[in-house]
C-alpha cells in the first residue's frame, strides 16, 4: 500500500510540469479595436494607400501573462498568423479597388496570409525588437520573407506591434494595376505596414 502511494506521488510530481505547460498551451493574444494594416504604393500619377478594413490574427502563447512575457524578451509565442481578405482592401477609389483586386487574383485567391515559422526577440529600452521569418501567401504564391517589428506596452495591458515590409508584386506572379488607358501604372514595389494591438483573451478580429 505504501509502495503504491509512493509510486502515485512520484507520478504526480513527474507529470505536474507537463500538466502546467498543457494548461497554458494555446493561450491566445487577441486583436483589439484600432489595430491597423495598410499598403502604401506609388504610380506614374500619384501615391496611394489601401487600408485593410477587416483582418484576423491567430496568435497563441504557451505561458501565462503572455504580454508581460513578450515585453520581457521571452519567446512566448507558439504560433502566429495574419489573414487579410482581399475584398476588404480599400484604396478609397472604386476603380482602384476593382483593379487592385484583379491584380491580386481575388477571384481565385480570396485571402492574403502571413504565417510565422520562426522568430528572434531582444530587449530594446522599454520595448522589444523582433525579427520574424515566415511564409507570405499572395495571389496563390507562397514565399519566405523576414519581417522586423517592435513590441511595446500600451495602457490596459495591451501589446503593440508595429513594423513594415516591402513587397514586390512581380515576385508573386502579380501584374501591378494599370488604369486610365495605361496613363496610371502602379509600381510593382509596395510597402505593407501594421500597427497591431493585442491582448490576452479569447480570439477576435479587427473590423
Amino acid at each position: 500500500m505504501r509502495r503504491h502511494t509512493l509510486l502515485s506521488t512520484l507520478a504526480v510530481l513527474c507529470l505536474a510540469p507537463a500538466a502546467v505547460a498543457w494548461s497554458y498551451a494555446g493561450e491566445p493574444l487577441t486583436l483589439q479595436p484600432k489595430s491597423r494594416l495598410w499598403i502604401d504604393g506609388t504610380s506614374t500619377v500619384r501615391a496611394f494607400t489601401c487600408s485593410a478594413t477587416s483582418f484576423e490574427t491567430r496568435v497563441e502563447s504557451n505561458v501565462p501573462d503572455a504580454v508581460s512575457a513578450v515585453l520581457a524578451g521571452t519567446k512566448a509565442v507558439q504560433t502566429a498568423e495574419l489573414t487579410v481578405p482581399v475584398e476588404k482592401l480599400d484604396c478609397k477609389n472604386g476603380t482602384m479597388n476593382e483593379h487592385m483586386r484583379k491584380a491580386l487574383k481575388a477571384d481565385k485567391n480570396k485571402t492574403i496570409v502571413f504565417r510565422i515559422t520562426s522568430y528572434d526577440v531582444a530587449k530594446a529600452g522599454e520595448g522589444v525588437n523582433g525579427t520574424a521569418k515566415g511564409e507570405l501567401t499572395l495571389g496563390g504564391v507562397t514565399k519566405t520573407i523576414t519581417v522586423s517589428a517592435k513590441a511595446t506596452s500600451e495602457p490596459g495591458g495591451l501589446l503593440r506591434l508595429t513594423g513594415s515590409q516591402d513587397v514586390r508584386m512581380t515576385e508573386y506572379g502579380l501584374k501591378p494595376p494599370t488604369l486610365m488607358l495605361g496613363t496610371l501604372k502602379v509600381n510593382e514595389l509596395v510597402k505593407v505596414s501594421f500597427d497591431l494591438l493585442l491582448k490576452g483573451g479569447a480570439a477576435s478580429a479587427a473590423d
Side-chain angles (χ1 to χ4, degrees), residues 7-203:
L7 289 175
S8 299
T9 302
L10 289 173
V12 170
L13 290 174
C14 290
L15 292 174
V20 171
W22 180 87
S23 67
Y24 292 126
E27 178 179 294
L29 286 170
T30 64
L31 200 61
Q32 300 299 297
K34 297 186 179 179
S35 294
R36 297 189 301 134
L37 187 146
W38 66 98
I39 300 172
D40 289 315
T42 58
S43 70
T44 51
V45 176
R46 61 179 180 271
F48 65 91
T49 298
C50 299
S51 300
T53 59
S54 179
F55 56 97
E56 299 178 351
T57 61
R58 184 173 65 87
V59 183
E60 295 183 351
S61 170
N62 57 358
V63 299
D65 195 4
V67 171
S68 296
V70 170
L71 292 172
T74 302
K75 295 180 71 172
V77 173
Q78 279 186 314
T79 59
E81 181 176 297
L82 183 146
T83 303
V84 183
V86 176
E87 66 176 12
K88 295 299 183 179
L89 289 176
D90 184 9
C91 305
K92 304 300 182 184
N93 179 287
T95 301
M96 182 63 177
N97 286 348
E98 181 181 344
H99 282 265
M100 181 61 76
R101 290 165 189 168
K102 182 178 180 180
L104 294 175
K105 303 177 181 180
D107 56 334
K108 295 182 179 179
N109 306 282
K110 298 186 181 301
T111 58
I112 300 168
V113 180
F114 178 58
R115 182 180 296 107
I116 292 178
T117 55
S118 63
Y119 69 98
D120 291 302
V121 293
K123 280 290 293 179
E126 295 298 318
V128 174
N129 288 336
T131 302
K133 185 176 182 180
E135 297 179 339
L136 175 64
T137 301
L138 185 62
V141 175
T142 300
K143 289 186 173 294
T144 300
I145 64 171
T146 300
V147 179
S148 296
K150 184 174 181 64
T152 55
S153 176
E154 290 291 318
L158 300 182
L159 180 71
R160 185 171 210 155
L161 289 177
T162 57
S164 61
Q165 175 69 25
D166 288 339
V167 175
R168 196 173 295 276
M169 296 178 68
T170 51
E171 291 183 352
Y172 293 82
L174 303 177
K175 182 179 179 181
T178 299
L179 289 78
M180 298 163 54
L181 299 177
T183 303
L184 188 156
K185 296 181 179 180
V186 173
N187 293 325
E188 63 178 280
L189 187 66
V190 297
K191 176 176 285 188
V192 181
S193 300
F194 54 90
D195 184 353
L196 310 179
L197 293 171
L198 300 170
K199 185 177 182 179

